[in-house]
Amino acid sequence: MLRPLLLATVASSALTGMTGLGGLGPLPPLPLLSGADSLTVSIEKTGHAEADGTFRLECDGTPGGTHPAAANACKRLDQLAQAGADPFAAVPADGFCTQQYGGPATAHITGTWQGRSVDARFSRANGCEIDRWENLRPVLPHVKG
């Protein structure tokens, strides 16, 4: 008795889902985020006054913004996109990282890249974090540990 009732409920729900909410028609698709790469890069404690600060990086057509190496930074982001890499992904919690210290430098990157929202933090606290920082050069500056 419950099985036919369950099947009827599932079928009814599926039909309702196909037409949106009842007779209102199909639901509109979610809007896509802009394809423009627009990032805010905040860097501190690098030991280089010119490298510390908050910079805008625009990579839509002609590189721009206030980032000191905008053209090369956009080129690096394009290379990473072509390789299918996500340079903003955090280091896996279960990863094995060398216990080396690369200095107190930190960075915070927010904005949009490849149509996705970015909110990533970087440090040089261990080997994995140092590699992650270096992989994103020149978006992030060269830092000696």
Side-chain angles (χ1 to χ4, degrees):
M1 179 80 173
L2 285 177
R3 185 176 176 148
L5 180 59
L6 177 62
L7 290 174
T9 302
V10 169
S12 174
S13 296
L15 288 175
T16 301
M18 292 171 75
T19 60
L21 299 172
L24 297 178
L27 296 174
L30 293 174
L32 294 175
L33 295 174
S34 168
D37 295 346
S38 177
L39 300 169
T40 299
V41 183
S42 298
I43 305 163
E44 58 184 18
K45 301 178 186 171
T46 63
H48 305 286
E50 68 280 358
D52 289 350
T54 298
F55 308 99
R56 270 317 270 162
L57 179 60
E58 305 289 335
C59 297
D60 186 23
T62 304
T66 60
H67 193 283
N72 288 333
C74 290
K75 181 179 177 182
R76 180 63 182 142
L77 288 171
D78 285 344
Q79 291 170 339
L80 293 165
Q82 292 294 323
D86 181 0
F88 305 108
V91 172
D94 61 350
F96 291 101
C97 303
T98 58
Q99 296 304 303
Q100 64 189 67
Y101 182 65
T106 60
H108 185 202
I109 300 176
T110 58
T112 303
W113 182 69
Q114 298 292 301
R116 295 180 300 222
S117 181
V118 173
D119 187 354
R121 295 189 182 274
F122 293 80
S123 74
R124 299 179 61 80
N126 60 46
C128 295
E129 293 291 350
I130 292 168
D131 286 346
R132 186 170 168 248
W133 182 292
E134 294 297 317
N135 184 51
L136 204 49
R137 282 187 44 217
V139 176
L140 298 177
H142 175 72
V143 177
K144 289 190 175 185

